[in-house]
Amino acid sequence: MDSPIDVADCLQRWKQGDESAAEELIRHLHPVISRIVRTHLPRRDHEDDVIQEILMKTFSRLHQYKGDAPMSHWVSRLALTTCLDRLRAQKIRPEVRWTDLTPEESTEFDAAWLGSTTPDATEAIHARDLVDKLLSTLSPSDRSLILLVDLEGRSLEEISQSTGWGISKIKMRLFRVRAQLRKMIQNLEQRK
Amino acid sequence: MNMENSPQEDQKWQSLLERSKPTFAGDAELPFGFLTSTLARLKAEKRDRDLLERIGLRALFASIAILITVGGVSVGVQLQNRFDFDPAVQSLIQADDVPIS
């Protein structure tokens, strides 16, 4: 989505020291980066700091951007790598037990089982916290992979392009991640 | 994703994701104060980078200047020493009128 602004012109102006060009670029890139950070990092992570970190990286590496792909693609890859690096620094939970869930998360677990009505904002947050807990047992790359497929609906080819992994590797990982998630959900169900 | 034949756990996972979906959406608008603080950080980083670049360039020029000076001094000393013979050799040269080239 590079159409609303002329990225090449902004880059040129920024190189010449025009600060309004940086402002335009930040406004243009922020929604893209914000969506990636919100998807791939747990809800309570310092979102604005991470977005700023990605923007700083973007501006300091602008000379590496060749302009052969839309800038949002280039920045998306940078954002995803930054999120993965951040996740790598966090500990992976060995498992999620029923006692680890807050009462609200337990309610959400049951609500999802029943496939109940559209949640309000608070319920969505509790559901997200539960999703984050389940995801925290996966490795950073597995976590991102399952979200790219199940949440963003990306095709295997798209994931291959953005991660550099082969299709068969992606399929194998996906199979393993699904098995792991099933097992965790089964465990939660049994230990109620 | 087709969930008709998938196990119940997969359906539950999809349902949880669906219920939490609003929390994954990115901000369309910049949060309050974000632009100002980002621009300030960007300016500070640029200033630091420029400063480092200037310091680096100055250090490079200083090292080149030192190298040239040291080189000049050593060549000068070497040229000076070229005619600075031992007194015995000097007298031999004078006696035999040996041309020094």
Side-chain angles (χ1 to χ4, degrees):
Chain A
M1 283 221 319
D2 284 342
S3 50
I5 65 160
D6 186 347
V7 172
D9 175 59
C10 276
L11 292 177
Q12 193 58 39
R13 279 165 45 217
W14 168 245
K15 273 181 204 164
Q16 288 161 359
D18 181 356
E19 267 182 35
S20 65
E23 194 181 317
E24 277 180 54
L25 277 172
I26 292 170
R27 282 190 192 282
H28 173 66
L29 295 172
H30 184 271
V32 180
I33 300 174
S34 158
R35 185 180 49 79
I36 292 172
V37 168
R38 220 167 258 186
T39 302
H40 294 276
L41 289 183
R43 194 174 66 86
R44 289 197 176 86
D45 227 325
H46 306 285
E47 192 182 299
D48 283 355
D49 290 347
V50 185
I51 297 175
Q52 247 184 14
E53 188 188 328
I54 295 166
L55 280 168
M56 294 303 126
K57 277 188 190 173
T58 303
F59 277 91
S60 68
R61 294 176 192 180
L62 273 180
H63 60 280
Q64 294 173 4
Y65 174 61
K66 306 282 181 238
D68 43 6
M71 190 169 200
S72 50
H73 291 192
W74 183 71
V75 171
S76 298
R77 197 168 180 163
L78 195 65
L80 187 61
T81 317
T82 308
C83 290
L84 283 176
D85 286 345
R86 218 173 161 95
L87 284 171
R88 281 189 194 107
Q90 295 173 1
K91 268 193 178 169
I92 297 175
R93 258 175 196 262
E95 63 171 342
V96 179
R97 289 181 293 247
W98 185 252
T99 48
D100 295 330
L101 306 189
T102 61
E104 294 83 7
E105 287 164 4
S106 319
T107 312
E108 272 310 306
F109 186 80
D110 291 332
W113 203 235
L114 299 167
S116 73
T117 52
T118 318
D120 61 26
T122 320
E123 287 169 337
I125 286 173
H126 295 315
R128 172 63 191 269
D129 287 342
L130 180 53
V131 166
D132 281 343
K133 271 189 183 157
L134 291 171
L135 290 172
S136 67
T137 61
L138 304 175
S139 74
S141 41
D142 285 348
R143 181 197 158 100
S144 287
L145 177 63
I146 196 82
L147 289 174
L148 285 169
V149 176
D150 287 355
L151 190 76
E152 296 190 10
R154 299 281 187 90
S155 69
L156 298 184
E157 286 75 18
E158 282 175 313
I159 297 170
S160 175
Q161 274 174 7
S162 62
T163 57
W165 301 334
I167 300 284
S168 51
K169 181 181 175 178
I170 296 172
K171 280 184 183 168
M172 210 169 67
R173 285 187 97 133
L174 208 51
F175 179 78
R176 206 185 56 206
V177 176
R178 288 208 189 287
Q180 209 174 328
L181 279 172
R182 270 179 216 136
K183 199 175 158 209
M184 270 189 298
I185 290 171
Q186 266 172 9
N187 284 348
L188 282 178
E189 190 60 33
Q190 283 162 9
R191 290 174 195 186
K192 268 186 195 175
Chain B
M1 200 189 146
N2 178 22
M3 296 199 300
E4 276 175 18
N5 300 319
S6 57
Q8 279 189 320
E9 288 78 19
D10 285 1
Q11 288 182 37
K12 181 136 191 144
W13 166 247
Q14 286 296 336
S15 171
L16 273 174
L17 269 186
E18 198 55 45
R19 290 179 70 80
S20 58
K21 214 165 191 173
T23 66
F24 286 98
D27 275 334
E29 290 296 316
L30 289 170
F32 179 75
F34 182 84
L35 188 65
T36 319
S37 67
T38 309
L39 280 174
R41 227 182 115 180
L42 202 60
K43 243 189 320 196
E45 284 207 357
K46 200 166 183 250
R47 202 178 44 231
D48 289 350
R49 239 191 344 260
D50 290 349
L51 188 70
L52 269 176
E53 235 167 66
R54 266 208 309 276
I55 292 172
L57 274 177
R58 277 184 194 164
L60 183 72
F61 286 136
S63 331
I64 292 172
I66 290 171
L67 266 176
I68 291 171
T69 314
V70 169
V73 168
S74 6
V75 168
V77 168
Q78 223 170 9
L79 280 176
Q80 205 179 21
N81 287 350
R82 198 171 164 192
F83 306 107
D84 199 9
F85 296 110
D86 184 84
V89 179
Q90 190 76 39
S91 61
L92 265 175
I93 291 168
Q94 279 167 357
D96 293 346
D97 199 17
V98 177
I100 301 167
S101 59

